[in-house]
Amino acid sequence: MQKINKLTDTIVSTKYKQWVDNLDASQKQHSKSSTYYDDVVMNLYRCQAGVCAYTEMHLCTNVHYADVNWTDGRYKIPDDAKFKREGHFGQLEHFDHNDKKLKHWNWDNLFMIHSTINSRKSDAEVIPYIKPDLAGYTPETYFEYDDDFHLFIPNQNIKDPQMQADIQYMIDEVLFLNHDGVVRYRTNYLNNIKLLKRLGEPIVVEEFFTAVKWTLDI
């Protein structure tokens, strides 16, 4: 699960940011209005390089979240409605569902994740320190990758049994890094990259960045 930069300088949906900042400053509960839905979704994809924040599966091509799609701090709604709504297959995820109740549009709590993962995660309790946009988060701190079985496992250098259990819980019940469908797809993707590398062919990595880096040093 890659590190994700969601700092203020990555927010190009500035009208959304002004709106949510004003609500927070006045201590008002967030409306569930979808006015800024596309602004938030596409800005998140920019931060996540178009992949699921957890599994790193590809969800959205960069044509949808390129710079030209923003005008005066708003995401420019394409004329083709199909392009807007069906151009990606992720869902907006609230990392901590307790925070969702009062601050539905809290930028720090939002990610785009694979729709299947979102439905399986539901309201599962999260371990706060394993959150990919935290300042101190690095995947190496918490995870290792078993290249034989193509599974993520807790970092074996962690000696605290409770932390090991927390990480395993997050892998299994929140992030679904080892979901059967994800593992099969990730395994095939890495095997194809390995083949290209052996053949000396050009390689463009578009998903599973962490697994590719750790197993192939690309």
Side-chain angles (χ1 to χ4, degrees):
M1 186 174 67
Q2 66 173 337
K3 164 76 174 178
I4 297 173
N5 178 12
K6 287 168 56 187
L7 298 177
T8 301
D9 61 0
T10 67
I11 303 176
V12 292
S13 297
T14 53
K15 293 295 176 62
Y16 147 76
K17 187 65 167 59
Q18 292 169 1
W19 172 73
V20 80
D21 284 351
N22 287 338
L23 288 177
D24 291 343
S26 58
Q27 298 183 331
K28 292 183 179 179
Q29 182 173 343
H30 292 187
S31 163
K32 293 185 180 180
S33 166
S34 60
T35 301
Y36 294 101
Y37 175 84
D38 293 290
D39 304 76
V40 172
V41 164
M42 291 303 164
N43 205 148
L44 287 169
Y45 276 133
R46 282 173 58 95
C47 297
Q48 298 172 199
V51 303
C52 171
Y54 302 162
T55 66
E56 298 182 41
M57 293 178 71
H58 176 80
L59 300 179
C60 183
T61 57
N62 60 9
V63 67
H64 294 276
Y65 55 84
D67 290 346
V68 296
N69 293 325
W70 273 266
T71 302
D72 297 328
R74 291 297 311 271
Y75 184 75
K76 184 170 62 178
I77 307 300
D79 293 332
D80 183 351
K82 182 177 180 180
F83 177 95
K84 179 180 68 169
R85 294 300 183 192
E86 298 180 12
H88 66 94
F89 54 95
Q91 290 183 352
L92 189 62
E93 149 76 344
H94 296 80
F95 183 78
D96 184 346
H97 280 258
N98 292 320
D99 188 58
K100 175 182 178 180
K101 297 172 185 176
L102 294 177
K103 296 188 175 184
H104 190 85
W105 293 104
N106 179 14
W107 174 252
D108 291 338
N109 197 41
L110 298 174
F111 296 100
M112 291 304 295
I113 67 173
H114 193 286
S115 57
T116 300
I117 302 305
N118 195 34
S119 64
R120 288 180 178 274
K121 174 181 178 282
S122 187
D123 295 337
E125 183 180 359
V126 299
I127 307 301
Y129 59 80
I130 307 177
K131 185 167 176 277
D133 64 340
L134 292 178
Y137 171 85
T138 62
E140 295 86 354
T141 302
Y142 304 107
F143 307 107
E144 293 181 9
Y145 191 73
D146 184 332
D147 194 23
D148 292 328
F149 296 97
H150 289 282
L151 300 175
F152 279 92
I153 60 175
N155 186 324
Q156 297 303 289
N157 291 321
I158 296 174
K159 304 305 180 185
D160 182 349
Q162 185 58 57
M163 181 175 279
Q164 285 268 352
D166 287 349
I167 297 168
Q168 191 64 61
Y169 165 80
M170 288 290 285
I171 289 172
D172 296 337
E173 304 297 334
V174 177
L175 309 173
F176 289 94
L177 302 184
N178 295 337
H179 179 280
D180 285 349
V182 176
V183 172
R184 285 197 297 271
Y185 187 33
R186 187 169 61 222
T187 300
N188 290 334
Y189 188 80
L190 264 66
N191 285 339
N192 287 334
I193 296 289
K194 290 176 182 177
L195 177 60
L196 291 174
K197 189 175 182 180
R198 285 199 302 271
L199 296 175
E201 297 290 335
I203 297 172
V204 178
V205 181
E206 297 180 321
E207 54 188 333
F208 301 119
F209 306 120
T210 301
V212 169
K213 178 181 178 181
W214 287 357
T215 61
L216 299 173
D217 194 28
I218 295 176

